[in-house]
Amino acid sequence: MANANNKVRFLTPKPPKPDRPLFVFLPGMDGGGLLLRSQIPKLANHFDIRCLTLPADDRPSWDVLVGETIALIEAEKQAGKPKRPVYLCGESFGGCLAMKVMLEAPQLCDRLILVNPASSFRQQPWVQWGSYLTQWLPANLYPLSVIGLLPILASLGKIGRDDRRALLEAMQAVPQNTSVWRLALVRSFNVDENQLRGIKQPTLVIASGADRLLPSLVEAKLLVKVIPNAEMVLLANSGHACLLETDVNLYGIMQARNFLTKSEENLSLVSSQ
C-alpha cells in the first residue's frame, strides 16, 4: 500500500463540519498547507477547512497536479452536505494552481480567492534568474539561501515569533530538487486573458503593497481587469506571506467585501447572535 504521505492530500486542521461551506486552501511554494495557521481560528467558525499538502519529493506536471486537486475537492463535496458552497483560496504558487483548477472544472467552486498569486512571476526578471540559479547551488548552501530569502518573502515584524518559525521550517522542509521543480512549474505557467475571462465566479484578488518578492499589486490590477467578477483588496503594508501577519484577517476581508454566499451569510448571522 502506498504511503499516504507520498500522495497529494488534504489536511483537516479542525474537526470536519460537513454542513458548513467548504474552504479549500492551496499553499505556496512550501506545499505544506500549514501556513494558513493564523487564519484558521476565525475561518473555522464558519467553514469546513481543507488544506492541500504536496509530498516533499513529488514532482508532478501541472496537468497531474490539477487533476489530483480536482479529485480531492470532488470527494469532499460528495462527503458533505449536498450543494454546499465551495471557496477556493490559492496563495502564491497555490494561486496559479487555483486558476488552473477553475479553468479545468468551472462548476466545482463558487468563490475564488487569489492571494499574491505567482502568476506575476513572469514580470520579475530577477526572480526568474534566481529560480534558475537555485538548481546550481551546492547542497550545503541551499539551506542558507532559504534563510536569506525570509526578509524578502515576509514582513517579519508583522508576524509572530511562532509563525516566523513555522514559515522557516516550512521552507526548509522542501528539498532543493523539489524547489527547483516547483519554480520551473511557475516559470511555465501560462494562462492567457481569454481563458481568465472564462472565470465567472466572484473573485477576490488580495495584493500586498509591500511585497518584495513579486509585483503582486501590478498583477492584481491586471487580473481584476480581465476576470469578469473580480475585485482587488490592497494590503498596503503587507509582505508576500501576508496570511501569517497578525493584523490580516482573511474572514474579515471576505465579510467586509460582501463576498460570502447566502448560506454563509445566514450562518454568520446565527453565530453572532
Side-chain angles (χ1 to χ4, degrees):
M1 181 179 294
N3 188 333
N5 292 329
N6 292 327
K7 293 182 178 181
V8 174
R9 59 194 176 98
F10 279 154
L11 298 177
T12 306
K14 294 288 185 178
K17 299 176 180 178
D19 60 325
R20 301 287 177 90
L22 182 65
F23 186 95
V24 177
F25 177 67
L26 308 183
M29 284 287 296
D30 64 284
L34 295 175
L35 293 184
L36 189 68
R37 49 183 283 158
S38 60
Q39 303 297 330
I40 286 173
K42 290 176 181 173
L43 289 171
N45 291 328
H46 309 277
F47 294 103
D48 190 15
I49 304 172
R50 300 292 182 274
C51 299
L52 187 74
T53 183
L54 310 178
D57 58 352
D58 191 28
R59 296 190 282 275
S61 66
W62 275 125
D63 287 344
V64 170
L65 185 54
V66 169
E68 291 177 336
T69 303
I70 289 172
L72 287 170
I73 297 174
E74 287 177 337
E76 293 293 341
K77 288 187 69 171
Q78 292 174 7
K81 182 179 179 181
K83 297 183 179 180
R84 64 173 173 166
V86 178
Y87 292 66
L88 183 63
C89 177
E91 181 181 28
S92 192
F93 175 88
C96 295
L97 177 57
M99 282 186 262
K100 282 186 168 290
V101 167
M102 293 295 280
L103 292 170
E104 184 68 24
Q107 77 292 344
L108 197 61
C109 302
D110 302 274
R111 297 287 190 273
L112 175 63
I113 305 164
L114 302 173
V115 183
N116 296 323
S119 51
S120 62
F121 194 84
R122 63 187 181 277
Q123 301 176 29
Q124 197 78 308
W126 77 266
V127 176
Q128 291 211 44
W129 178 81
S131 72
Y132 285 109
L133 182 62
T134 301
Q135 63 188 311
W136 302 112
L137 281 174
N140 61 327
L141 291 182
Y142 176 71
L144 296 176
S145 73
V146 170
I147 296 173
L149 187 61
L150 272 181
I152 299 174
L153 183 63
S155 295
L156 297 178
K158 297 170 71 68
I159 299 175
R161 179 181 299 176
D162 289 345
D163 288 334
R164 290 200 300 269
R165 185 181 300 113
L167 176 60
L168 178 59
E169 290 174 353
M171 294 171 64
Q172 290 179 326
V174 181
Q176 185 174 2
N177 288 341
T178 302
S179 179
V180 168
W181 179 264
R182 291 177 186 168
L183 286 168
L185 281 183
V186 176
R187 284 198 306 269
S188 70
F189 179 81
N190 184 24
V191 173
D192 62 37
E193 292 187 4
N194 286 332
Q195 291 174 293
L196 291 174
R197 290 188 184 97
I199 297 177
K200 305 301 184 183
Q201 289 84 349
T203 300
L204 278 185
V205 184
I206 299 175
S208 293
D211 191 336
R212 287 178 282 184
L213 182 68
L214 294 173
S216 294
L217 180 55
V218 174
E219 181 71 2
K221 290 178 178 178
L222 173 64
L223 290 172
V224 298
K225 284 182 179 180
V226 177
I227 299 174
N229 296 312
E231 179 181 4
M232 186 179 80
V233 177
L234 172 62
L235 304 179
N237 300 311
S238 291
H240 187 71
C242 61
L243 295 183
L244 283 172
E245 295 177 7
T246 55
D247 60 349
V248 172
N249 180 346
L250 180 56
Y251 181 78
I253 290 172
M254 290 190 286
Q255 194 171 35
R257 297 288 172 150
N258 297 316
F259 192 70
L260 304 174
T261 63
K262 289 297 182 183
S263 62
E264 224 292 304
E265 287 177 353
N266 293 338
L267 183 61
S268 297
L269 289 173
V270 171
S271 63
S272 65
Q273 291 176 354

